[in-house]
Amino acid sequence: MTDTDPLVRFSGVRKTYGTFEAVKHLDLDIGRGEFVAIMGPSGCGKTTTLRMLAGLEEPTAGEITIDGKRMNEVSAHDRDTPLVWQSLALFPFLNVKENVEFGLKMRGVPKPDRHGRAMLWLERLGLKGFETRRIDQLSGGQRQRVALARSLVTEPRMLLLDEPLSALDAHLVIRMQGVLTRLQKELGITFVYVTHSQSEAFAMADRVVIMGHGEIAQIGKPQEIFRAPKNRFVAEFVGRNNILPGKTPGQEIVVAADRMQVSASDPGEGALPAEFLSEEFAGTGIICYFEGPEGVELKAQVTEDQLENLAPEPGQRFWLTWAPGAAHVMAGT
Ligand code: ADP
Ligand code: MG
């Protein structure tokens, strides 16, 4: 074992429920200290994947190793892979500190040591002063931080998180994203973070694994996936992309909406004629929707000033162009 060997390896992992294939074939390495997000639409097999890593489901085929050791038959309890999820049940009959100490108590850690470690984690998670609070006296964000402290107090090699922020308000989500990324970098432990939310995955992870229908559709750094989606599934799932026919038969190209230019007059060769349909205010600009050749939907992101100048009316004809460097050729399905 060297430091460059992966911490986790899924090799040909498959999981079926009866005749249904929840995970079809998974090959995935996760490095030490990496923050990996597994992102995909609901039902694509994310939770199943995480639960297999946690030891809560057994793979139907294939192998999962941690530190080079086969884990398939190892119980969740013996894996050191705590799992935090959205509605992680804290014990209502224990106070904050007792909840955090629980895992240490189960491991027979003596009381003074338990106390010190629990207090350290409560402080790290900004929960100092809340030790004796009851769980029902905490906000959603505070509960989630207690849940994190409870999972981290045993200092596991990795933490598994399944949509941990999905029950929180938008402003809390942003704050907790910051808490989680800082914590992960400070501790240097591996995070495997499952989410259906693009913004969460792209904001936090070193590497993103896009899953669709029980398979990996693409793995890469957030920027790579965003700018160079490998196939139609990824292009449609992430970002606001235009998918257009390429130069050779069967080839498809992707042009991001924010790299599409809109002209009110025909600029000549290569411009796509398109009828304006509607506009939508997005945080970073305005997305204009068009109907292009053969009924294909096209999108362009414009600024408020550009929108004012264009003053588009539904049904009005425009021309869409993009710089050669803005088109990314997809490798194929
Ligand atoms: P995700 O977390 O990506 O939303 P899941 O991993 O929970 O997806 O589920 C993947 C698929 O497997 C879904 O279609 C789900 O209905 C199915 N599934 C999950 N758990 C079971 C189970 N215990 N029995 C039967 N089907 C299941
Ligand atoms: Mg899930």
Side-chain angles (χ1 to χ4, degrees), residues 17-18 20-23 40-49 51 57 162-163 194 211:
Y17 295 108
F20 180 76
E21 277 187 303
V23 173
S42 174
C44 74
K46 304 182 295 295
T47 293
T48 304
T49 300
R51 287 174 59 82
E57 296 283 354
D162 191 354
E163 314 239 10
V194 157
M211 261 186 103

Side-chain angles (χ1 to χ4, degrees), residues 7-210:
L7 177 61
V8 173
R9 173 165 281 172
F10 288 84
S11 313
V13 169
R14 185 162 165 258
K15 177 68 184 178
T16 56
Y17 295 108
T19 56
F20 180 76
E21 277 187 303
V23 173
K24 287 178 185 153
H25 183 98
L26 199 69
D27 290 320
L28 174 65
D29 283 359
I30 298 170
R32 284 157 216 285
E34 227 192 338
F35 194 140
V36 169
I38 301 176
M39 177 175 80
S42 174
C44 74
K46 304 182 295 295
T47 293
T48 304
T49 300
L50 208 64
R51 287 174 59 82
M52 286 194 286
L53 180 54
L56 301 168
E57 296 283 354
E58 209 180 311
T60 309
E63 188 176 69
I64 298 174
T65 63
I66 299 179
D67 255 337
K69 291 187 209 73
R70 179 178 161 97
M71 283 291 132
N72 293 43
E73 294 77 23
V74 177
S75 75
H77 184 261
D78 294 326
R79 281 195 197 194
D80 192 24
T81 49
L83 175 60
V84 176
W85 68 97
Q86 175 199 324
S87 46
L88 176 69
L90 293 165
F91 301 119
F93 49 88
L94 298 180
N95 69 23
V96 166
K97 183 171 144 267
E98 290 162 344
N99 263 281
V100 175
E101 274 184 292
F102 183 78
L104 298 172
K105 203 170 170 183
M106 295 311 287
R107 283 161 200 237
V109 176
K111 202 167 180 181
D113 193 12
R114 247 166 36 211
H115 170 82
R117 283 163 72 178
M119 292 307 284
L120 172 75
W121 281 96
L122 287 172
E123 188 167 348
R124 276 194 178 142
L125 283 153
L127 290 164
K128 215 174 157 207
F130 290 88
E131 303 76 273
T132 57
R133 283 266 188 114
R134 286 207 323 263
I135 299 307
D136 63 6
Q137 295 170 324
L138 299 175
S139 71
Q142 288 164 343
R143 275 182 215 192
Q144 208 52 322
R145 281 183 282 147
V146 176
L148 283 167
R150 191 175 87 174
S151 300
L152 288 166
V153 74
T154 58
E155 301 186 2
R157 286 170 297 184
M158 73 180 108
L159 183 65
L160 313 184
L161 304 109
D162 191 354
E163 314 239 10
L165 310 183
S166 55
L168 302 181
D169 295 341
H171 71 282
L172 267 180
V173 170
I174 305 283
R175 250 182 46 203
M176 282 301 291
Q177 282 179 13
V179 170
L180 285 169
T181 39
R182 271 196 307 280
L183 201 61
Q184 193 270 338
K185 291 291 171 260
E186 274 168 31
L187 301 173
I189 67 171
T190 302
F191 273 26
V192 187
Y193 189 100
V194 157
T195 180
H196 68 276
S197 154
Q198 267 184 58
S199 55
E200 279 178 32
F202 286 169
M204 291 194 279
D206 301 318
R207 248 178 354 135
V208 178
V209 177
I210 309 276

